Amino acid sequence: MPAPKMLTFDVFGTVVDWYSSIKAEGEALGESKGITGVDWGKFASSWRRRYGPSMEPIRTGERGWIKLDVLHRENLLATLEEFGVDLDEPSTEHFNRAWHRLTPWPDSPPGLARLKSKFIIATLSNGHIELIVNMAKNGNLPWDVVLGAEPTQSYKPHPTTYLRSAEIMGLTPGECMMVAAHPGDLEAAAGLGFQTAYVHRPNEFGPGRTVEAPKPNTFDYQTNSMEELATALGC
Amino acid sequence: MPAPKMLTFDVFGTVVDWYSSIKAEGEALGESKGITGVDWGKFASSWRRRYGPSMEPIRTGERGWIKLDVLHRENLLATLEEFGVDLDEPSTEHFNRAWHRLTPWPDSPPGLARLKSKFIIATLSNGHIELIVNMAKNGNLPWDVVLGAEPTQSYKPHPTTYLRSAEIMGLTPGECMMVAAHPGDLEAAAGLGFQTAYVHRPNEFGPGRTVEAPKPNTFDYQTNSMEELATALGC
């Protein structure tokens, strides 16, 4: 297997810790607004659970492509209703943009810096350009380029998201390696010819929902952090 | 005037020295292929002169959007013919991609690093994503995001290139500052509400074609380097 030229990264859960970040933003919001009785960890999980289904009408073509801020907001309004929380408009907008401020897993900034020295490092996320760039500025994530949903006008795991991302960079799928904490994302990429690296994030979904690692040799690489991946790839 | 949130940069001539880079690549190619009697400085100028006109059919909508590599190649073939140079296919392709390897002006990498500490720094160039990213890797240009031609499917100075670039980042034109060595680029951006910074590059076009600086107060800022711009903007 020849070395890849570009590593394409899933972001939510793989590079950043959405659960802890959204929970902490919810708790801070609750405190400042005097909202009581809400388990913000459960709130974060519920908000996130609506994410996959909300992209489905776009994947099927039933709904035109729109950026993730819009879907996040629709899902936030539904989650606020579920938890009986009444939030003013500025707070709703601020909370919705918490996804622009997600905190990286501690190994992500140093690991990505090492990987960047040898490879093009790209996001191949369902996050739109503005969200990914704001998150990168906030969390010191040194991306070379934002690919994925917005540049390809599609949502993973639609084949277009992967194939057009490679094509934009003038690369074949085999010259790219998908990096993700989610087997489904890696399987979709592998099916199109991408190399694959699994990064284990056992606590992505918060306490009590520990993720089990796939069986060995399911993917080309299997590591526990971006630092380990950098070492495995000779950086 | 409130401080901008994003600086959007012209690239060819403003951030990188296309004339010296293309001349040097031509000279190296001539030497390796035994091509004699070609003034590679004049070759570089002629190749570049075809750039503006070649985008015009795309600006008017007569031709669909295509990436700059295609236009560069069409213009290269015409220039090779003009200079009576017969080049094999791999060398033609390699020479065409010299635009992916242009050398930064010496102040660009350190100046951009300083500017990045305070602002989102984006390319707003007619170069496509692959070209800009390869150039950045090659020349240590720490862009936060590639905007401009490819993400907006348009070529400057069409208004779409500027307006959609701001919109992708969720910003108003007034929250952006266009940085360029070319008055026409800055005037187009200013006409749409962008703030403007002129960076003087007197030797952009090579010897004997020294560029004169605009009159003072033509643009919001006028400096001689990215380092000077960083200082002027308080970085």
Side-chain angles (χ1 to χ4, degrees), chain A residues 67 115-121 128-130 133-134 137 143-147 150-151 164 167-170, chain B residues 67 115-121 128-130 133-134 137 143-147 150-151 164 167-170:
Chain A
K67 62 186 183 178
L115 291 162
K116 183 178 171 125
S117 69
K118 189 167 170 181
F119 305 101
I120 297 167
I121 59 167
H128 50 298
I129 296 171
E130 180 195 353
V133 173
N134 287 342
K137 295 291 270 188
W143 305 119
D144 288 310
V145 60
V146 180
L147 301 172
E150 186 166 5
R164 273 287 298 147
E167 189 183 49
I168 285 169
M169 286 301 297
Chain B
K67 61 186 182 179
L115 291 163
K116 183 178 170 126
S117 69
K118 190 167 169 180
F119 305 101
I120 297 168
I121 59 167
H128 50 297
I129 296 171
E130 181 194 354
V133 172
N134 287 342
K137 295 292 271 188
W143 304 120
D144 287 311
V145 60
V146 180
L147 301 172
E150 187 166 2
R164 273 288 297 148
E167 189 183 47
I168 285 169
M169 286 301 297

Side-chain angles (χ1 to χ4, degrees), chain B residues 18-19 22-23 38-54 71-72 74-84 95 99 205 209:
Chain B
W18 61 265
Y19 176 87
I22 298 295
K23 178 171 180 281
V38 175
D39 180 330
W40 291 101
K42 286 187 177 161
F43 191 101
S45 298
S46 177
W47 191 359
R48 178 66 174 173
R49 243 190 324 268
R50 299 170 195 273
Y51 165 76
S54 71
L71 300 178
H72 273 155
E74 291 170 4
N75 298 339
L76 173 58
L77 296 180
T79 312
L80 288 168
E81 194 174 320
E82 178 194 345
F83 283 78
F95 198 15
W99 296 91
F205 299 98
R209 297 183 60 199

Side-chain angles (χ1 to χ4, degrees), chain B:
Chain B
M1 196 168 62
K5 293 183 177 171
M6 177 164 75
L7 308 182
T8 57
F9 292 79
D10 175 60
V11 172
F12 302 123
T14 299
V15 175
V16 296
D17 176 4
W18 61 265
Y19 176 87
S20 300
S21 302
I22 298 295
K23 178 171 180 281
E25 292 245 5
E27 285 168 351
L29 186 67
E31 189 143 342
S32 78
K33 294 281 164 186
I35 302 163
T36 54
V38 175
D39 180 330
W40 291 101
K42 286 187 177 161
F43 191 101
S45 298
S46 177
W47 191 359
R48 178 66 174 173
R49 243 190 324 268
R50 299 170 195 273
Y51 165 76
S54 71
M55 289 179 291
E56 198 51 27
I58 295 167
R59 291 193 193 102
T60 61
E62 192 187 317
R63 184 176 186 181
W65 191 85
I66 43 168
K67 61 186 182 179
L68 197 53
D69 272 355
V70 176
L71 300 178
H72 273 155
R73 194 185 160 95
E74 291 170 4
N75 298 339
L76 173 58
L77 296 180
T79 312
L80 288 168
E81 194 174 320
E82 178 194 345
F83 283 78
V85 176
D86 200 17
L87 213 55
D88 59 74
E89 171 53 32
S91 299
T92 303
E93 182 60 20
H94 178 76
F95 198 15
N96 196 49
R97 290 174 66 95
W99 296 91
H100 295 220
R101 298 183 296 267
L102 300 178
T103 306
W105 299 108
D107 54 276
S108 293
L112 290 174
R114 287 172 61 195
L115 291 163
K116 183 178 170 126
S117 69
K118 190 167 169 180
F119 305 101
I120 297 168
I121 59 167
T123 62
L124 205 165
S125 161
N126 283 333
H128 50 297
I129 296 171
E130 181 194 354
L131 180 153
I132 295 291
V133 172
N134 287 342
M135 182 198 285
K137 295 292 271 188
N138 190 56
N140 197 22
L141 302 169
W143 304 120
D144 287 311
V145 60
V146 180
L147 301 172
E150 187 166 2
T152 69
Q153 299 280 297
S154 65
Y155 278 119
K156 288 189 296 181
H158 195 289
T160 297
T161 326
Y162 304 93
L163 294 175
R164 273 288 297 148
S165 289
E167 189 183 47
I168 285 169
M169 286 301 297
L171 298 175
T172 63
E175 292 174 320
C176 304
M177 178 180 285
M178 186 73 205
V179 182
H182 310 126
D185 199 354
L186 296 175
E187 284 155 11
L192 301 164
F194 279 56
Q195 300 182 44
T196 53
Y198 174 85
V199 180
H200 192 41
R201 299 299 191 188
N203 302 315
E204 174 183 354
F205 299 98
R209 297 183 60 199
T210 308
V211 177
E212 289 201 24
K215 281 183 285 191
N217 302 316
T218 306
F219 302 108
D220 297 324
Y221 289 86
Q222 180 161 333
T223 69
N224 294 293
S225 70
M226 294 302 167
E227 294 266 30
E228 268 190 40
L229 181 61
T231 301
L233 292 174
C235 301

Side-chain angles (χ1 to χ4, degrees), chain A residues 13-146:
Chain A
T14 299
V15 176
V16 296
D17 177 4
W18 61 263
Y19 176 86
S20 300
S21 302
I22 297 296
K23 178 171 179 280
E25 292 245 6
E27 286 168 350
L29 186 68
E31 189 142 344
S32 79
K33 295 281 164 188
I35 300 163
T36 54
V38 175
D39 180 329
W40 291 101
K42 285 188 178 159
F43 190 101
S45 299
S46 177
W47 191 0
R48 178 66 174 174
R49 242 190 325 268
R50 299 169 195 272
Y51 165 76
S54 70
M55 290 180 290
E56 197 52 26
I58 296 167
R59 291 195 192 102
T60 62
E62 191 187 318
R63 184 177 187 180
W65 192 86
I66 44 167
K67 62 186 183 178
L68 197 53
D69 273 354
V70 177
L71 299 179
H72 272 156
R73 194 185 159 94
E74 292 170 2
N75 298 338
L76 173 56
L77 296 181
T79 312
L80 288 169
E81 194 175 319
E82 179 195 344
F83 283 77
V85 177
D86 200 18
L87 212 55
D88 60 75
E89 171 52 31
S91 299
T92 303
E93 182 59 20
H94 178 78
F95 198 17
N96 196 48
R97 290 173 67 95
W99 297 91
H100 295 222
R101 298 183 295 266
L102 300 177
T103 305
W105 299 108
D107 54 276
S108 293
L112 291 174
R114 288 172 61 195
L115 291 162
K116 183 178 171 125
S117 69
K118 189 167 170 181
F119 305 101
I120 297 167
I121 59 167
T123 62
L124 205 166
S125 161
N126 284 333
H128 50 298
I129 296 171
E130 180 195 353
L131 180 154
I132 296 290
V133 173
N134 287 342
M135 182 197 286
K137 295 291 270 188
N138 190 56
N140 196 23
L141 302 169
W143 305 119
D144 288 310
V145 60
V146 180

